[in-house]
Structures are given as C-alpha cells and as structure tokens.
Amino acid sequence: MTQTRREFLWAAGAAAAGLAWYQAQEITWTAEQVAEAGWEPGIESRLASACLLCPARCGIRGRIVDGRLVGIFGNPLHPMNRGGVCPRGIAGVQALYHPERIRAPRLRTGARGAGGWQALSTEGAVALVAERLRGLRAGGRPDGVAVLAGYCDGTMHELWRQFLRAFGSPNYVADDYRDGIDAVMSLTHGISRRPAYDLERSGLVLSFGAPLFEAWWSPLQAYVAFGGSGGDRRDGSRPRFVQVDTRFSRTAARAQEWLGIRPGTYATLALGIAYVLIKEELFDADFVARHVTGYEDRLDAAGRPQEGYRSRVLRQYRTEEVSAVTGVPVERIVALAKAFAERRPAVAVIGAEVMQAPDGLLGGLAVHSLNVLMGSVNRPGGVLFPDDPPLEPLAAPVLDASARAGVARPPISGAAMPFGDGDPARRFAQAVAGAATPPEVLFIYYANPLASSADSGLWTRALSRIPFIVSCSPFLDETARYADLILPDALPYERWQDAPAPASYPYPTWGLTRPLVTPPPGAVHTGDALLALAQQLGGSVARSLPYASVEELLKARARGPFAARRGMTLGDEFERTHYRQMEERGWWLAEHTEFEAFWDDLVARGGWTDLFYDDTDPARLARTPDGRIDLMPPQLQGALDAAGSGPALYAYSAQPAGAPTPEFPLRLMPYRVSTLASGTLALEPWLAEQPTLFPDRHWVPWVEVHPATAERLGLEDGTMLWVRSSRGRYRARLKVFPGTAPEHVGAPYGLRHPDGELANPLQLLDGSADPLTGVPCWFTTFVRLEQA
C-alpha cells in the first residue's frame, strides 16, 4: 500500500486551505485589573470564581454591576489558564440570563414528554422526593435509587456517592468523558489514574489525535504552554508542537507540523517511530535498563521464551511498511523520530481518537511506549502523576442494616470490562431497557442521554421503565422533558462549588466557585437540595451528611490545604515562582496562621495550588510489584491469550478496522467541536459563529468531504444532505474541505439546526467497542450521503 497522489494532495493542500479560512479569535487574555476613575464599592465589583462549563475548570473573574453579571474574564492568578478564557467561558453570561431558563421546580402533569407542568416550591419538591425515598427504604429496596451524572469531578461527585452509599445504593452511573487512558497507566505503571502532561516544560509535544486546542481536557493549558513566554523552560523557549491527526483540525492549524494519517493507524506510526529510536540507538537506554520490564526477551514461569517489546518492534515495524500503512512518508517518520530524540524532554500525548477503536487499549499502550523509551516519565516536560489536592475528606459514612444490604447488591450497570469501566451509562440503559429490575427513582445531573448518546431509542425505552425521574437541569433539554420532577440547579455563577483542575494538569489545583449574583428565588443548588434531603430522611443518612450547606462543606474541606504545610492560595507569577523555588529547596512559608484568614484569602483569590512536583519519588514512576514500568503487562497478555483470537500486544495490522461496502462507501469520522463540547450551544448562541476553521459555516450543522470525493459523488459545496448509516440518518450541509481525507466524512458532534433539530453523528455508530475497555468505537462506521 503506497501513498496515492490524491492522498498526497490531501496532506499537502489542507494546511494552506485551512489557514486561509482560519480567522476566529479563540482566547481572550486578561491582565491584572486596575480600578478605573470613578469606581466605587457597591456599584461595581470583580470577584474570583471558576468556570464549570467544561472539564478544564479555568479560573475566572466576574464583573458585576448593580448586582448583575455583565462580563466574564480570566483570572490571572490561576496557574493553569493565567488570565485566559475561551469563547465558551465568556458566553456563560448568555446562559445565565437565557430566557428559557427554568427558574423554579416543576412537577409533570399528563403524559411524559407532553409538556404539561405545574409549579412547585423548592421545599415541596424536596419533600416529594423524600417521601419516595422513604418508601424505598421501607420496602427493603434502598438500591432502587440511581444517579446518572455527567462530568462533576470534585465535591459534587463525592457528595452524590456519599448520599447513595449512606442510603444503600451502588447505582452511581457516570455519563462523562471516559476514554480508557487511565487503563494504559494502570497496566504499565500500576497507577490507576489519567496521566498529566507537562506541556510547558517539554521540548517537543507529539500529539496523537489529541485536540489540545479544541475539546481536550484543558485547551487553556495548551494555549499557555505553546503561546506563553517559555518561563518554565530554562532556556526560555517554547515547546515544538507536532500534531498527528486524521483531519486538518483547529489543533493541526496551530501546530508547527501536521501529519495527516489514515484512521486507525496511530499505533502503527508510534511503533514505527519506536523502530527508528531503537534501531539507531536514540532512546534512553539507561532509563530503560533501570526502570523498565518487558523491553528484552525473557522466559516465563514455565521456562518458555517470551518475545519482548524490542524484538516485536524491530521485527514488525520497518519504516517502509509503516509508511505504506499510515500514509506518512518514510522520510517524515525518520525525521520525526530523530526530532523526538533530540528535543528532549519530549512527550507523546494519547488522544481519545486513539482509544476509540476496537484495539484502542493496545493503541494507547503503543503511543505511551514512546514516553517510556525516552524516559519521559516522572521528569520535567514528560508524563507526570501528581497528587490530588489535600482536601479534608467528607464525614465518614454511617451505614445502617438497610444500607449495608443495599450496597452489597450488584449495580444495575453490571460489571466493568476487563481493563476499564467503558461506557457505564450505556450498560445501565441496556440493563434497564432489558430484563433487569429498573430503579424506582433516577436522579439526572448534568446528563442528557436522549440527545448525546449513540442510541436515543435505547434510552427512551430505559427511561419509560423508571417510575420516577428527577432532573436537575436548569434548562428543558430532551431528557428533562421526560422527567417527572425538575429541581433546577442554580447556575455556576450563583452557587458554591469546587473546581479541581483536570487530570491533564501536572499540579494539584483546587479552584473555587462562589455566587457572583443572587439566584432566582426558585433555583436551588443541587448540593444544598441533596443535603436538605438527607436531613429529611434522618437517621444514618443525615449523620453521613452533617452539613448545613455546600458552602459549609467546602469550608470544612479547605482545612486540608490549610493544614498540609505546602502550596499556596492562588497568586501572580512572582508568587508562584517564589513558592515553587522554596519548596524545591525544602522550605515552605505559611501565608496565614489562622484558618479564617486562609479561607477568606482562598475565596478572594479563587483557590489553592501546589506547583512543586517531587520527581525523586519512585512511587510517582511505578507502583507495580517490582517497582518498574512494564511494557508487556502479564495480565493483559493473559487476557489476550485467553481470547484466543483478535489483536495481540504490539501486533502488526495492515488495515484499520472496518471496510466500506457499495451501500455505505464512506468512513464516518465524528469529532468534538471546541466551543460545543459541553453541549451548550443552544444556551450560548454567540458560539455558533466561531466553532471551527470555517468562517462561512455558522448556525447550520455541516459535514466535511474531500474535494475529490465530492466530485466523484457529484455533490457541491453547501448542498443539504442526509448522512445515513445502517442505524439511522441526520441532516447536515456539505462543506468541501481538503483537510478531510478522501473517502471520509468529517462530522462535528454537538450541533443543532436553528429549529433545535439534532445533528448527532454518534447516533449513526455501529455500536462496536474495544472489548478490553468497553470504550465505544467512533471510527468503524460507514455511511452514504444523500441529497435532502
């Protein structure tokens, strides 16, 4: 398989075309605010808080005039975003004052989904839920309550779990951003958590499909690393950035180099780079010898020879063969491998696109093996495993006999996959829609599966079997319309909540949101409602959650950082550098000797952080039984051997998964759009004008097709189409784009038509998943295009 002229033109022409179209401003940077002449307290104020609209949890400052939030800016004291804020964060004001916001509880009247509602007081709503839950406990079914929650890492996540455990239910169901990368780290390092990437101190960042400037865990982390002053690197330089991607994305447009690659071949390219590093002895041989197991051949317990990583790579991944599979020229593979070795420290970032494949776990291991080869683990500029913020734990849960019996029962979603939790929300829906006994009560917290899932019909059937559904959505989304009770949450600018930095950030950082404005009379913080519900239920549930409010709970948790004798409340660049250098030398200076002063300062500045990372701690390198990183994890090899067929570890594959048919000849390539990843476009309409590379594509969903493919199909730019698979169809407008690979359809996820009609490419997916992690496959489905 050789690179065709058409594929060469795709790779060569996409960059110029994309850069010509790329015009939208993406990030606004905020300097330190200076009080203007005429400013008086009580008229205008600026308060620190945190943005909760995506997992990045950036620090923000709100400008409040006469009690109304009129502007959102970045908080320069926050170490991750340093005053930057994306369009989504700025547009939060639109969500706050959206005319369709639900401002008080509603109780359904009539049939589900018919739109009949009656007003209810907050107290009446909480009492109604408490009555339902008392009935479950009285009937011996405490496990009959479940929570379906979107991304809410931090205290709200722990609060939900504490409530369920004290009540007696094992049914917490996550509907969030799981991609299985934590399983890669668990197998190789014995550390069950997502890795952090020290982008800012790296010499070269090699991203395998990670949308660092779009829908990654923290786009602002990438903006600071690649657009900052280079202050965290000793030579003051910025890291070089190379993006390996299947399409010319916004992230690719910002890279110094983009490598267009055939879908499903990320692992092949990574191991082709490893081949060059090993063959030319460019890897860190000393690190591998001292800290790595599985690199060389060895004998198993029975004395049988076992091929090691080195032998497999050298035997199967010669550059000519890798080039034929991936479409990347031989000279570029060799040049990239040499640059990865020369610009140390270098780091390879695993994107979700690598993991969303039938062999995603094996692909993630292949990409991460580059970090292991180069010793870019637990070193500045590489992969780090930081501590979590040292928060005071919640009160110990008190379980009575009913709760102990309930939590001992298996969860409705069933057992996890061999090496990951996969898609627990889908497993829950399948079980409830099938023969499993459904929960009697379901809380839905920042999840909208009827719109966002790959199978809305499955969720419709599942929800129809649940007698009582409580939605906490402050807007009437598709799933909230199907609820029996809506207990609308206060918006992030009206409530207390914590905002820990995402796992991708290499330093523990605990952001804090606080009310910038007063919420409407009927809106209530879901956390406060949950605490009130626990008190109404009484007994062991009330004793497990002995807090009057979320504010009181957060203040109690802040005693952990106060007593930790490390870190600092958020500060400017001088303060950050000063505290980091002191801790590197074994010193630490208390900012406050009294807790109340510490708490006031933490609230005023927006949080706490510790920017010292101890890279001498061997527990941060590996926690395997022998304390070494394992490139050939025995438990994974055992699972692959037991399967008897299918892919093997670091095995050569000449073709990506799936194949076109005459009926469905085009591979579907869904992707998340940066400003739409949280699904809030309908709430922030301004965002519709700057979601992508195309200044001429607004308001109406689109799909991208290469010019040669469009010409073959006889389709013109701007044509309204049906995108159809064997599972269904949706409408979108055609965008002819040379940055999309030939015979592929790039399909942004999360868009709607102006009338609210969904355009969700995930609902066309074939339903396949990685059998090792359960992560859904996004790139194994084939479609056809029909004129609408």
Side-chain angles (χ1 to χ4, degrees):
M1 185 189 300
T2 59
Q3 188 180 33
T4 66
R5 179 177 180 275
R6 183 170 59 178
E7 289 172 326
F8 171 77
L9 292 175
W10 156 58
L19 288 172
W21 290 331
Y22 186 58
Q23 299 173 359
Q25 181 178 352
E26 297 174 84
I27 298 298
T28 299
W29 298 97
T30 306
E32 277 290 340
Q33 299 292 326
V34 179
E36 297 90 346
W39 182 86
E40 295 181 9
I43 299 174
E44 176 178 337
S45 59
R46 292 182 175 90
L47 302 177
S49 189
C51 179
L52 301 180
L53 296 183
C54 83
R57 302 311 199 227
C58 295
I60 61 172
R61 282 181 175 175
R63 180 177 177 231
I64 301 96
V65 177
D66 293 335
R68 290 180 64 85
L69 180 65
V70 299
I72 295 174
F73 308 92
N75 182 357
L77 304 183
H78 197 288
M80 186 181 69
N81 63 299
R82 300 186 196 175
V85 62
C86 72
R88 180 171 38 196
I90 294 171
V93 177
Q94 293 186 342
L96 179 63
Y97 297 115
H98 199 287
E100 296 182 8
R101 177 183 175 183
I102 303 173
R103 298 176 179 274
R106 295 182 181 182
L107 181 65
R108 176 177 61 83
T109 60
R112 274 184 175 169
W117 304 95
Q118 71 179 42
L120 196 65
S121 68
T122 299
E123 296 76 13
V126 173
L128 179 62
V129 176
E131 181 181 356
R132 285 268 183 172
L133 296 187
R134 287 193 197 97
L136 284 176
R137 286 200 124 216
R141 277 211 63 204
D143 57 323
V145 60
V147 172
L148 176 70
Y151 185 85
C152 59
D153 273 15
T155 295
M156 277 304 301
H157 174 263
E158 295 181 47
L159 189 58
W160 277 115
R161 285 191 173 274
Q162 179 97 328
F163 176 83
L164 287 176
R165 182 167 176 78
F167 188 81
S169 174
N171 292 311
Y172 182 91
V173 183
D175 186 19
D176 52 16
Y177 300 88
R178 302 190 176 199
D179 54 20
I181 296 176
D182 55 334
V184 174
M185 303 302 139
S186 178
L187 286 167
T188 53
H189 298 270
I191 301 174
S192 299
R193 64 171 296 153
R194 292 184 56 85
Y197 294 104
D198 191 3
L199 305 180
E200 196 167 1
R201 294 190 290 174
S202 180
L204 186 147
V205 175
L206 177 57
S207 164
F208 286 82
L212 299 185
F213 292 96
E214 299 166 85
W216 196 51
W217 289 92
S218 176
L220 264 298
Q221 180 186 347
Y223 278 105
V224 167
F226 298 113
S229 63
D232 277 353
R233 286 180 55 80
R234 291 183 178 179
D235 59 3
S237 64
R238 298 178 185 176
R240 180 171 177 79
F241 176 36
V242 179
Q243 178 72 4
V244 179
D245 215 333
T246 55
R247 60 181 292 274
F248 188 78
S249 61
R250 170 175 282 185
T251 298
R254 288 194 163 272
Q256 280 96 346
E257 183 179 356
W258 168 60
L259 273 72
I261 188 173
R262 293 189 180 110
T265 63
Y266 286 110
T268 303
L269 178 62
L271 295 173
I273 294 171
Y275 175 91
V276 177
L277 295 173
I278 296 171
K279 191 76 172 176
E280 301 198 15
E281 299 183 351
L282 300 174
F283 67 101
D284 191 333
D286 179 65
F287 179 88
V288 171
R290 290 188 296 115
H291 299 298
V292 180
T293 296
Y295 178 75
E296 299 287 0
D297 299 346
R298 57 184 174 181
L299 300 177
D300 65 11
R304 294 169 298 194
Q306 297 289 316
E307 191 175 37
Y309 173 89
R310 177 181 179 276
S311 295
R312 291 196 183 187
V313 170
L314 292 180
R315 179 168 57 86
Q316 299 184 104
Y317 292 95
R318 287 182 288 272
T319 49
E320 293 81 3
E321 295 173 355
V322 169
S323 175
V325 172
T326 62
V328 180
V330 169
E331 58 272 18
R332 294 191 74 181
I333 296 174
V334 174
L336 181 57
K338 290 183 176 180
F340 198 70
E342 292 168 359
R343 293 186 63 93
R344 303 187 194 185
V347 65
V349 180
I350 308 170
E353 191 168 318
V354 176
M355 307 297 296
Q356 293 164 335
D359 57 352
L361 178 61
L362 304 182
L365 284 164
V367 172
H368 184 59
S369 71
L370 295 177
N371 296 316
V372 177
L373 278 180
M374 299 309 302
S376 295
V377 181
N378 202 37
R379 290 181 177 177
V383 173
L384 305 181
F385 296 101
D387 296 325
D388 293 325
L391 304 181
E392 189 75 13
L394 270 64
V398 180
L399 274 65
D400 59 14
S402 177
R404 289 194 296 273
V407 297
R409 295 169 188 147
I412 295 173
S413 58
M417 306 302 289
F419 300 104
D421 206 14
D423 189 352
R426 181 176 177 83
R427 295 201 309 273
F428 173 83
Q430 289 172 332
V432 174
T437 302
E440 293 288 326
V441 177
L442 174 66
F443 291 93
I444 301 177
Y445 182 70
Y446 288 99
N448 184 13
L450 288 181
S452 63
S453 73
D455 194 340
S456 59
L458 171 67
W459 273 100
T460 299
R461 296 191 299 275
L463 295 178
S464 69
R465 296 194 66 210
I466 300 173
F468 194 68
I469 298 173
V470 182
S471 171
C472 302
S473 174
F475 296 92
L476 198 61
D477 59 37
E478 286 78 3
T479 308
R481 295 175 195 275
Y482 214 75
D484 300 284
L485 174 67
I486 299 177
L487 191 58
D489 195 11
L491 290 184
Y493 320 105
E494 302 166 334
R495 68 180 191 249
W496 289 93
Q497 192 164 322
D498 60 354
S504 65
Y505 188 62
Y507 306 105
T509 300
W510 192 53
L512 197 66
T513 72
R514 59 163 166 178
L516 303 178
V517 295
T518 303
V524 61
H525 187 340
T526 298
D528 288 338
L530 199 57
L531 294 173
L533 180 61
Q535 295 307 309
Q536 287 206 24
L537 292 172
S540 59
V541 180
R543 294 197 299 276
S544 298
L545 294 169
Y547 310 100
S549 65
V550 172
E551 179 185 4
E552 178 184 304
L553 169 57
L554 294 175
K555 190 172 182 179
R557 305 208 75 185
R559 290 189 176 275
F562 174 71
R565 299 190 61 78
R566 63 186 179 94
M568 56 180 283
T569 56
L570 303 188
D572 59 26
E573 185 173 356
F574 173 81
E575 293 171 303
R576 292 193 295 263
T577 303
H578 178 57
Y579 266 84
R580 173 187 281 174
Q581 291 177 345
M582 280 201 305
E583 289 198 59
E584 287 174 346
R585 291 162 174 78
W587 293 84
W588 178 81
L589 180 65
E591 297 175 283
H592 305 284
T593 57
E594 300 293 333
F595 174 73
E596 289 298 331
F598 170 80
W599 170 253
D600 291 342
D601 194 40
L602 186 148
V603 172
R605 290 173 173 260
W608 174 94
T609 189
D610 184 5
L611 299 176
F612 169 65
Y613 182 90
D614 183 6
D615 54 18
T616 65
D617 183 357
R620 298 180 188 269
L621 182 69
R623 296 171 195 162
T624 53
D626 61 0
R628 296 165 67 90
I629 303 168
D630 199 340
L631 284 174
M632 305 289 287
Q635 61 270 48
L636 176 58
Q637 294 194 81
L640 293 172
D641 292 342
S645 62
L649 187 54
Y650 309 119
Y652 178 80
S653 176
Q655 294 288 344
T661 65
E663 185 179 8
F664 300 108
L666 307 175
R667 187 184 292 271
L668 183 68
M669 301 292 294
Y671 67 91
R672 287 189 172 95
V673 183
S674 60
T675 51
L676 311 177
S678 63
T680 57
L681 174 63
L683 312 179
E684 301 169 333
W686 172 65
L687 295 182
E689 295 190 0
Q690 46 181 344
T692 185
L693 286 166
F694 314 124
D696 60 338
R697 284 294 178 270
H698 304 317
W699 303 105
V700 176
W702 70 90
V703 292
E704 303 157 15
V705 170
H706 189 271
T709 304
E711 182 179 2
R712 181 180 66 78
L713 297 175
L715 298 174
E716 296 182 357
D717 188 79
T719 303
M720 187 62 73
L721 302 170
W722 287 109
V723 186
R724 184 186 293 273
S725 77
S726 60
R727 296 285 296 270
R729 68 177 190 173
Y730 75 93
R731 284 194 315 132
R733 181 170 290 167
L734 177 64
K735 176 62 188 178
V736 177
F737 179 46
T740 299
E743 306 306 311
H744 292 69
V745 177
Y749 160 69
L751 302 177
R752 294 174 184 265
H753 290 271
D755 61 0
E757 176 189 347
L758 279 172
N760 183 1
L762 301 190
Q763 295 184 353
L764 305 188
L765 298 184
D766 59 15
S768 61
D770 183 342
L772 297 173
T773 63
V775 173
C777 298
W778 277 30
F779 313 109
T780 57
T781 299
F782 290 81
V783 299
R784 67 173 182 264
L785 303 179
E786 305 169 344
Q787 291 196 30

